[in-house]
């Protein structure tokens, strides 16, 4: 039996929620605006049972909401909740990393358009407090109980 | 047999490289500056065989480099390569999502200190071109071949 990593870490909890790579393809389609089962299936290439299973899991996790959009015959659409929308930056960073560090000759990099400025863009992370870039070496992941005392000093 | 999601998508390739949740805990410790097997084991809580297996995979994927730091007895340290450092924003976004959307009463959120400005920070994504925030609804994930023609128009 494979031992599970502890869910006391928020990084692990997020990865656990995502679960597998099919979910990422489903999220990618949802982020592109697809809402119908047929469209999600076409775009992900997932078999019906795989797509149904992953959508069910995402609904249970409150990442996706399933609502009827047509009565006769009854048809449903799948929409991202606020929880689901919160996964957008995760997907963008996975995309950025894959484009940059795992290129494949037979696949062009995925492209992101910032419609606000009209340019093709790459996501970069900035500090919520000073707006400067968040770069490894200038950022420290602290133990949670360090929050009240980030410098490790007493006032 | 579980069908694998297609590696033609850079998002899937990145998730495939990470592989599982133990790898994320190992990366978290490496991002905090740990380099020795014993420290990684203490911080992740992983059994020896799990940690050895994940480090081996990370070395094969060129995410981690293993180099000797002592001759007698021979001892090794584990360091992030540039590929590995490229995973930092992915881990930060997983952390942000877990803190925000998957809180647990028995765990405080993980905290990030931006040493450049001295403040506790939350990562936010900004556009490489205009510096504005990248928000769902203002960003479009395009098919790769749209790169030359992002607006779908001919000049």
């Amino acid at each position: 039996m494979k031992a599970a990593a502890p869910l006391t870490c928020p990084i692990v909890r997020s990865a656990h929620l995502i679960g597998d790579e099919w979910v990422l393809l489903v999220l990618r389609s949802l982020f592109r605006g697809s809402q119908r089962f047929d469209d999600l299936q076409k775009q992900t290439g997932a078999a019906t049972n795989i797509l149904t299973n992953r959508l069910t899991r995402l609904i249970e996790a409150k990442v996706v909401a399933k609502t009827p959009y047509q009565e006769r015959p009854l048809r449903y659409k799948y929409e991202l909740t606020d929880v689901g929308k919160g996964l957008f930056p995760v997907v963008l960073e996975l995309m950025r990393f894959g484009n940059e560090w795992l290129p494949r000759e037979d696949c062009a990099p995925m492209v992101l358009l910032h419609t606000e400025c009209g340019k093709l863009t790459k996501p970069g992370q900035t500090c919520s407090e000073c707006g400067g870039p968040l770069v490894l070496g200038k950022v420290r992941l602290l133990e949670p109980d360090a929050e009240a005392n980030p410098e490790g000093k007493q006032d």
Side-chain angles (χ1 to χ4, degrees), chain A:
Chain A
M1 194 179 131
K2 198 169 119 182
L7 293 174
T8 44
C9 171
I11 300 165
V12 172
R13 288 202 294 281
S14 299
H16 191 75
L17 177 86
I18 294 170
D20 80 350
E21 294 153 17
W22 286 111
V23 168
L24 289 169
L25 286 181
V26 173
L27 289 171
R28 187 182 81 160
S29 286
L30 291 166
F31 286 132
R32 279 177 162 164
S34 300
Q35 298 190 326
R36 299 186 188 186
F37 193 93
D38 289 353
D39 291 336
L40 294 172
Q41 185 158 31
K42 205 185 314 172
Q43 288 166 15
T44 60
T48 304
N49 62 330
I50 289 180
L51 182 55
T52 302
N53 171 280
R54 300 311 188 277
L55 283 171
T56 303
R57 273 185 35 208
L58 289 173
I59 292 162
E60 284 169 1
K62 301 192 191 332
V63 170
V64 167
K66 180 182 179 180
T67 49
Y69 72 88
Q70 184 184 293
E71 297 260 319
R72 289 182 193 181
L74 188 57
R75 290 198 192 285
Y76 292 95
K77 64 180 175 180
Y78 300 87
E79 285 177 291
L80 290 159
T81 62
D82 285 345
V83 184
K85 289 173 187 169
L87 285 167
F88 189 54
V90 176
V91 169
L92 287 190
E93 289 298 346
L94 288 167
M95 182 199 77
R96 178 200 53 74
F97 179 83
N99 277 343
E100 190 170 347
W101 293 106
L102 307 170
R104 266 171 69 122
E105 280 196 15
D106 57 344
C107 315
M110 195 176 288
V111 177
L112 193 65
L113 173 69
H114 188 205
T115 55
E116 198 113 290
C117 73
K119 300 214 173 107
L120 296 177
T121 184
K122 289 179 181 166
Q125 284 179 320
T126 49
C127 172
S128 57
E129 305 307 306
C130 73
L134 289 187
V135 187
L136 188 63
K138 301 285 183 185
V139 179
R140 286 220 314 267
L141 277 168
L142 303 180
E143 294 298 332
D145 59 7
E147 178 156 23
N149 194 13
E151 300 295 347
K153 292 178 210 148
Q154 299 290 340
D155 284 320

